[in-house]
Amino acid sequence: MARKAAQTTSDGVDKNKPVTSYDVAHEAGVSQSAVSRYFTPGASVSARTRAKILKAVNKLGYQPNAIARSLITRRSSLVAVVVANLSFNPEFTSVLGQALSARGLNTLLFTLDHESDADHVIDQLWQYRVAGVVAAVTLPPRHVEMLSQREIPVVFVNRVYEEVAVNSVSCDQSEGERWLVDELCAAGHCRIAIVSGPEDSPVSRQRVSSAAERMANVGVKPVEIVVADFTYQGGREAMRKLASSANRPDAIICANDMLAIGCMDEARHGFGLKVPEDISIVGFDGSAAGQWASYDLVTIRQPTNLMVDAAIDMLMARIDDPQLITEKRVFSGELVRGASARLAST
Amino acid sequence: MARKAAQTTSDGVDKNKPVTSYDVAHEAGVSQSAVSRYFTPGASVSARTRAKILKAVNKLGYQPNAIARSLITRRSSLVAVVVANLSFNPEFTSVLGQALSARGLNTLLFTLDHESDADHVIDQLWQYRVAGVVAAVTLPPRHVEMLSQREIPVVFVNRVYEEVAVNSVSCDQSEGERWLVDELCAAGHCRIAIVSGPEDSPVSRQRVSSAAERMANVGVKPVEIVVADFTYQGGREAMRKLASSANRPDAIICANDMLAIGCMDEARHGFGLKVPEDISIVGFDGSAAGQWASYDLVTIRQPTNLMVDAAIDMLMARIDDPQLITEKRVFSGELVRGASARLAST
DNA sequence: AAAAGTTTAGCATTCGAATGCAACAAATGA
DNA sequence: TCATTTGTTGCATTCGAATGCTAAACTTTT
């Protein structure tokens, strides 16, 4: 098999061996400390030395070794982003990644398929001494406990822990569901069904219970609550059950947009129903697909950008002072008055 | 502000300070080397020592420091996954992450908004001494060159470099487009338009040119080629142009599913056209949304799982032997005969 | 021009695990 | 029983950058 011969430039620099700060120091005629300080913001280096080092850096193509740096500083620039595979919101992850990158942090991505993978993830992120964690999944309290004991800042997104002191940002699910219920009722809907997400999803549980509670308060009873997973297919199946039930609902509150989309497709293509004439369907999230013309969902849009910014602000604050007191920030969603539900005209 | 008092267990172990291999060694009454070997697969450690170490590890809750390990082995278990934000295929990233994780590798995610961010990404992944790179974006040849010089294995997904020796897996775009063109022509379409993705996207360019070429071969000329970006909105705008043009096409080949979805929505909701009765629309990718009942696209499904597995296999092989000869693997797509286009019945 | 203050440079040490080497112990064979 | 092989172990060193400390080099003040 063909193997490259060791490449050596005319400078005598072996290109296959990484350039270290010593090499730069030697080239520039200064000490390794100087090179290190050159790359440390706020460290004191004279203009002369700076210039010499810069020249050497460019000549050799030096890049500091983040691994070595992390070892001595006991802190990496890695932030673990933990998301669940299913309710996995790509926009969120994407926005988050960009925001982290803009602040010089790197994204170590973990996609959890099952809750049980959490152990493994916790091990990994600890092994990499991540600077912080942004979690859009539920972690068992003992893991949260462990992270706080190890002083790894954590911010949860849309998971609020009552029992543990931990940072979180979330969208006010209860308020959003209340709005939706009120809108539906105001438009005269009285046979409202709910399509829930998986029962082990706190997000889903909270949305469903908030909606149910509001309905109780205004004196309406859900005609049915169907449990589905957070998928398109789950929505379709849920709709199938509802549409063929004796007392067909005239409105459906879905625990997220994906379910709402599934419901709409099944209602239209499976049962020939018209949305919203025959049945109103509302979602939650404000996902991109939900706003496509075919669906044009009535939904609650979560302020993704605000939430991401808030999460990162909190995270950075805690990275600077890990003992900082915890805080929970709750943002209101935004009611999107799409065309997937018959609403009272205002 | 409230600060936690330093926690100290009855064992006298300071919980706030990470446990090192020396602590474990001391606890187990062995040397640090033994502890290290315990965690090195294939290293020789006697059963007696193993047991002692295991006990100490559990007692102290030791986890090897991946940073320190990477420093000395000059290799991390991190794999950089570089994706573009726009054509960002969430399914792909998700599947890839899982597959990497299953092989003990961690995902360092980089989302590129602009090509120009590539410099920064390359710096970062080099600083972290990643074990490898999976890139679903185009990198400038000089970067590819640099990576190979530094012996960092790279696998490109759906980017084939002719000029550089580099690994890649891809879906056969030309074949797929040929199938689509043939299907459309066989069904009697003769005024076919093309909606292209951004001009700086090689994927788009290849799909468009393959389709155009096939059309030329069968003696049809595209009535129009509209350039859009790879977004829903882009698809809608493209459709707007096409629908209002003098010689309205009877079929549209879109450079990806997202564009096709946008076209369909605009055709139906903007122009009241029926798909596929009034106009046929085909896409490319086999995305989940494209298969939803509202769209039911005729498209080419890329074999994501196969491609991811192949990419990782190649990557791991090169991690084991960075000098390994490069290889390009091309998979056929799968024609999905949806309902978004009028096809010859078979 | 000397004294005091302020930068800046370099030395030496540190982070935590992996590994070549030599010493040693156990197992095997003669 | 002794020689040989095989398997374990610990010592000492290494990876590459950050930083406390001291010494030296500049500034500023008087």
Side-chain angles (χ1 to χ4, degrees), chain A residues 30-31 33 37 44-46 49 71-72 74:
Chain A
V30 299
S31 73
S33 321
R37 284 192 247 268
S44 104
V45 189
S46 71
T49 315
L71 183 58
I72 188 71
R74 297 149 153 285

Side-chain angles (χ1 to χ4, degrees), chain A residues 179-226:
Chain A
W179 289 347
L180 292 172
V181 169
D182 291 352
E183 289 285 338
L184 289 177
C185 290
H189 293 285
C190 54
R191 295 199 317 282
I192 304 177
I194 297 178
V195 176
S196 147
E199 288 183 304
D200 61 353
S201 156
V203 170
S204 169
R205 275 211 306 273
Q206 208 196 338
R207 290 179 185 172
V208 170
S209 65
S210 301
E213 200 175 299
R214 184 57 162 194
M215 288 171 68
N217 285 345
V218 299
V220 196
K221 206 172 164 297
V223 293
E224 196 165 351
I225 298 184
V226 180

Side-chain angles (χ1 to χ4, degrees), chain B residues 321-337:
Chain B
D321 179 1
Q323 310 278 6
L324 206 61
I325 207 155
T326 59
E327 184 190 0
K328 305 188 198 297
R329 296 179 65 175
V330 179
F331 293 90
S332 286
E334 180 198 346
L335 177 69
V336 180
R337 309 178 122 264

Side-chain angles (χ1 to χ4, degrees), chain B residues 93-109:
Chain B
T93 313
S94 179
V95 170
L96 182 60
Q98 307 263 309
L100 286 173
S101 165
R103 308 204 191 193
L105 297 170
N106 290 111
T107 304
L108 197 54
L109 182 69

Side-chain angles (χ1 to χ4, degrees), chain B residues 79-85 88 92-93 96 107-112 117-118 121-122 125 132-139 147 154-157 159:
Chain B
V79 170
V81 174
V82 190
V83 298
N85 198 11
F88 182 32
F92 170 76
T93 313
L96 182 60
T107 304
L108 197 54
L109 182 69
F110 294 98
T111 332
L112 287 190
D117 300 344
V121 166
I122 296 287
L125 59 82
V133 179
V134 178
V137 298
T138 309
L139 296 178
L147 289 171
V154 189
V155 177
F156 282 89
V157 177
R159 315 284 147 144

Side-chain angles (χ1 to χ4, degrees), chain A residues 81-301:
Chain A
V81 174
V82 189
V83 297
N85 197 12
L86 298 173
S87 60
F88 184 30
N89 183 338
E91 293 146 44
F92 170 76
T93 313
S94 180
V95 170
L96 183 60
Q98 307 263 311
L100 286 173
S101 166
R103 309 203 188 195
L105 296 170
N106 290 111
T107 304
L108 195 56
L109 182 69
F110 295 98
T111 333
L112 287 190
D113 234 347
H114 315 285
E115 289 283 323
S116 52
D117 299 344
D119 287 290
H120 177 243
V121 166
I122 297 288
D123 285 354
Q124 291 295 308
L125 59 84
W126 169 241
Q127 288 185 14
Y128 272 100
R129 300 296 189 269
V130 297
V133 179
V134 178
V137 299
T138 308
L139 296 178
R142 76 196 155 85
H143 284 160
V144 180
E145 200 58 59
M146 183 180 298
L147 290 171
S148 89
Q149 207 162 65
R150 290 174 172 170
E151 298 198 337
I152 300 180
V154 189
V155 176
F156 282 90
V157 177
N158 274 348
R159 314 283 147 145
V160 180
Y161 285 77
E162 306 293 348
E163 337 76 66
V164 200
V166 65
N167 286 37
S168 61
V169 294
S170 47
C171 175
D172 193 331
Q173 326 259 356
S174 304
E175 180 188 59
E177 291 293 351
R178 266 184 270 129
W179 289 347
L180 292 172
V181 169
D182 291 352
E183 289 285 338
L184 289 177
C185 290
H189 293 285
C190 54
R191 295 199 317 282
I192 304 177
I194 297 178
V195 176
S196 147
E199 288 183 304
D200 61 353
S201 156
V203 170
S204 169
R205 275 211 306 273
Q206 208 196 338
R207 290 179 185 172
V208 170
S209 65
S210 301
E213 200 175 299
R214 184 57 162 194
M215 288 171 68
N217 285 345
V218 299
V220 196
K221 206 172 164 297
V223 293
E224 196 165 351
I225 298 184
V226 180
V227 177
D229 49 14
F230 266 152
T231 63
Y232 174 79
Q233 211 51 45
R236 296 199 61 157
E237 281 156 23
M239 184 72 224
R240 219 168 296 145
K241 280 191 206 140
L242 288 173
S244 45
S245 90
N247 187 24
R248 199 176 74 202
D250 61 0
I252 301 179
I253 294 178
C254 297
N256 77 356
D257 280 359
M258 186 62 84
L259 287 174
I261 289 173
C263 283
M264 283 182 81
D265 271 355
E266 184 65 22
R268 288 169 170 164
H269 300 93
F271 292 89
L273 299 175
K274 287 196 172 278
V275 180
E277 291 80 357
D278 298 325
I279 191 164
S280 289
I281 295 176
V282 303
F284 204 115
D285 271 353
S287 67
Q291 300 309 302
W292 293 349
S294 293
Y295 304 108
D296 194 8
L297 287 181
V298 171
T299 187
I300 302 293
R301 178 182 298 133

Side-chain angles (χ1 to χ4, degrees), chain B residues 109-124:
Chain B
L109 182 69
F110 294 98
T111 332
L112 287 190
D113 235 347
H114 313 284
E115 289 283 325
S116 52
D117 300 344
D119 288 288
H120 176 243
V121 166
I122 296 287
D123 286 355
Q124 290 295 309

Side-chain angles (χ1 to χ4, degrees), chain B residues 64-77:
Chain B
N65 182 324
I67 306 274
R69 176 189 305 221
S70 302
L71 182 59
I72 188 73
T73 60
R74 297 149 155 285
R75 158 174 306 180
S76 71
S77 69

